[in-house]
Amino acid sequence: MFQTVLLSLTEGFGKTLEIFVLTLLGAVPLGLLIAFGSMSRFRILGWPVKLVIWIVRGTPLMLQLLIIYYGPGLILGNNWWGSGASGRFTAAIIAFIFNYACYFSEIYRGGIEGVPRGQREAGQVLGMTNTQIFFRVTLLQVVKRIIPPMGNEVITLVKDTSLARVISVYEIIWNGQAFIKSQGLIWPLFFTGLFYLLFSGALTLLLGWVEKKLDYFKV
Amino acid sequence: MALLQVQELRKSFDGLQVLKGVSFEMNQGETVSIIGPSGGGKTTLLRCLNFLEIPSGGRIAVGGETLFDAENRRGLTEKEIRQNRLHFGLVFQSFNLFPQYTALGNVSLAPRLRAKERPDYKARHKELGEEIEARSVDLLKRVGLGDKLNYYPHQLSGGQQQRVAIARALALTPDVLFFDEPTSALDPELTGEVLNVIRQLAAAKMTMVVVTHEMSFAAAVSDKVLFIDGGVIAEEGPPEQVLRNPLEERTRQFLRGYEK
Ligand SMILES: Nc1ncnc2c1ncn2[C@@H]1O[C@H](COP(=O)(O)OP(=O)(O)O)[C@@H](O)[C@H]1O
Ligand SMILES: [Mg+2]
């Protein structure tokens, strides 16, 4: 029995990891784009972007998952996602990426705006180009500033992946819960917690290491 | 011919006129001090001359080459602005060192980036890098920080940081070096070391414009003093005149505030 459970949970955790990794791969760069959009001097771009961020951050991710998955079929009468597991998974990833990109964008914005104006100006009077200033002066200071809040979001994402079960993506909790119905076993569900703890523990260590690496200077 | 010529320089911020036509000239090797009450436009003048602000009117020329002329409707491109800035250096009140670089890194960063634009960079990058490093070390020694090359800004005192900032500004061999109240952010016991460095530069005939509230320093170091008040040069002349026997009542009134 233990082996069956372990196998099933490991498989579910694979899905969890997939959601986690794909969300980060998508949301980290998309968040930067959204951040630049929200900081745009052109209000015609800035305002709509800010509105979208407000909506995404102000509503539950679970609701967004449901709307993104069922919306096309029920509102547009055309289910883009198809009916299979891969369609549900794609819809979930898109919802996650979009949601997390909005959170990340606010962190980026804070990080970028937190770099004192004098840093930029010091680069300018030294004849540096805007690109040089961004990559040689600003970027590392922004990274240092955003590591702690980004770390919090990443740890939250580990746990948020479980929301994907609402549109029947077979991640680890889904698989764990299945044993209640089929075998009347509750312990597999507790066991899923161990996976989360180990994974978020490892991430915490990694983030601490990165923070320490950037400890050589102060901003 | 004067090295720096500033004619009728104007700057407004959303209708608020901050510089109302500032004109002055200075020769190679001169040190000009600028004094005046807070809000008079001293910082704005320096920021305009370094193209951190684009003036609303007037003309700026260096060595006879016009860098900026408001009459020229075309305006400046990013690239021209950058070229113009290389004629000048600016030392900020708040140092603005790059925190993630050591003292040496702060001084050598801009020269390294400049070197990349040279046509012979590919062939000689190693040699060029070594030259820049050696020069940067020299500059830091010159400001008395030869033993702090590998310190990060947060490991240095304010006075030391400001001296690194001076070395950093010198690294690109500007034609004119501007200082905006270089000691105002420092504890009194640290101002001396920074003023001494500026004194040395003056003795070495660096062309400099120093905005300062240190009147005895200004008297000792300047060839000329400008008193700026309300966006105009209210009085200018040799330090003996402006600081000791001002012709204008406004100057007298301002200086009274500095008497003990
Ligand atoms: N970016 C800006 N926008 C609006 N007003 C400004 C700006 N920069 C400076 N000013 C105004 O210009 C005036 C002169 O400021 P400043 O040049 O800093 O004077 P000083 O350096 O002589 O104290 C002040 O009234 C200040 O509020
Ligand atoms: Mg000022």
Side-chain angles (χ1 to χ4, degrees), chain B:
Chain B
M1 188 185 51
L3 176 68
L4 173 66
Q5 294 169 294
V6 178
Q7 288 165 0
E8 283 301 306
L9 206 67
R10 288 164 201 284
K11 178 67 190 177
S12 308
F13 295 106
D14 320 301
L16 172 72
Q17 245 201 334
V18 174
L19 295 180
K20 302 172 182 168
V22 171
S23 306
F24 70 95
E25 294 196 341
M26 64 189 296
N27 296 318
Q28 172 107 43
E30 281 186 337
T31 298
V32 169
S33 290
I34 299 180
I35 61 169
S38 173
K42 304 180 297 296
T43 295
T44 305
L45 173 63
L46 262 50
R47 290 175 60 83
C48 283
L49 292 173
N50 283 278
F51 299 91
L52 291 176
E53 310 282 356
I54 299 302
S56 330
R59 191 173 156 269
I60 302 168
V62 171
E65 177 198 347
T66 299
L67 300 186
F68 173 83
D69 190 344
E71 301 288 294
N72 186 345
R73 284 283 128 222
R74 183 177 57 84
L76 297 171
T77 63
E78 270 303 309
K79 193 163 179 216
E80 285 168 325
I81 289 178
R82 207 160 72 78
Q83 285 301 323
N84 287 348
R85 284 184 182 135
L86 288 168
H87 286 283
F88 304 129
L90 176 60
V91 173
F92 299 85
Q93 187 174 336
S94 51
F95 331 137
N96 296 345
L97 290 184
F98 306 132
Q100 72 269 46
Y101 294 99
T102 60
L104 185 57
N106 266 277
V107 177
S108 60
L109 177 64
R112 278 183 205 283
L113 295 172
R114 285 290 292 160
K116 287 193 176 174
E117 291 169 33
R118 293 172 57 135
D120 59 349
Y121 178 74
K122 273 223 163 67
R124 297 183 48 213
H125 71 274
K126 203 164 168 207
E127 193 185 337
L128 288 169
E130 281 162 9
E131 274 172 32
I132 289 168
E133 171 115 1
R135 229 183 80 73
S136 304
V137 171
D138 276 348
L139 284 167
L140 282 166
K141 282 186 183 156
R142 205 166 142 190
V143 299
L145 293 172
D147 57 340
K148 298 278 191 281
L149 300 178
N150 296 318
Y151 282 55
Y152 287 91
H154 75 273
Q155 300 169 314
L156 298 170
S157 73
Q160 292 168 334
Q161 289 188 51
Q162 190 61 300
R163 286 186 281 151
V164 174
I166 294 172
R168 179 175 72 172
L170 288 169
L172 289 171
T173 56
D175 296 321
V176 186
L177 183 52
F178 296 88
F179 295 80
D180 191 6
E181 303 194 25
T183 60
S184 292
L186 297 177
D187 293 335
E189 71 270 20
L190 299 178
T191 59
E193 58 187 67
V194 172
L195 296 181
N196 279 337
V197 167
I198 302 175
R199 257 189 218 109
Q200 273 175 40
L201 292 173
K205 292 292 165 203
M206 179 75 207
T207 313
M208 296 185 291
V209 176
V210 188
V211 174
T212 185
H213 293 289
E214 303 281 337
M215 296 305 162
S216 53
F217 167 78
V221 83
S222 340
D223 298 290
K224 185 157 77 177
V225 178
L226 311 181
F227 171 61
I228 292 189
D229 187 11
V232 296
I233 297 180
E235 179 162 357
E236 74 172 289
E240 310 82 66
Q241 173 204 319
V242 181
L243 297 172
R244 304 264 180 264
N245 300 296
L247 305 177
E248 300 290 329
E249 178 52 32
R250 276 205 271 179
T251 320
R252 252 176 255 147
Q253 224 169 26
F254 170 73
L255 288 174
R256 237 170 262 140
Y258 286 86
E259 283 162 12
K260 308 237 162 68

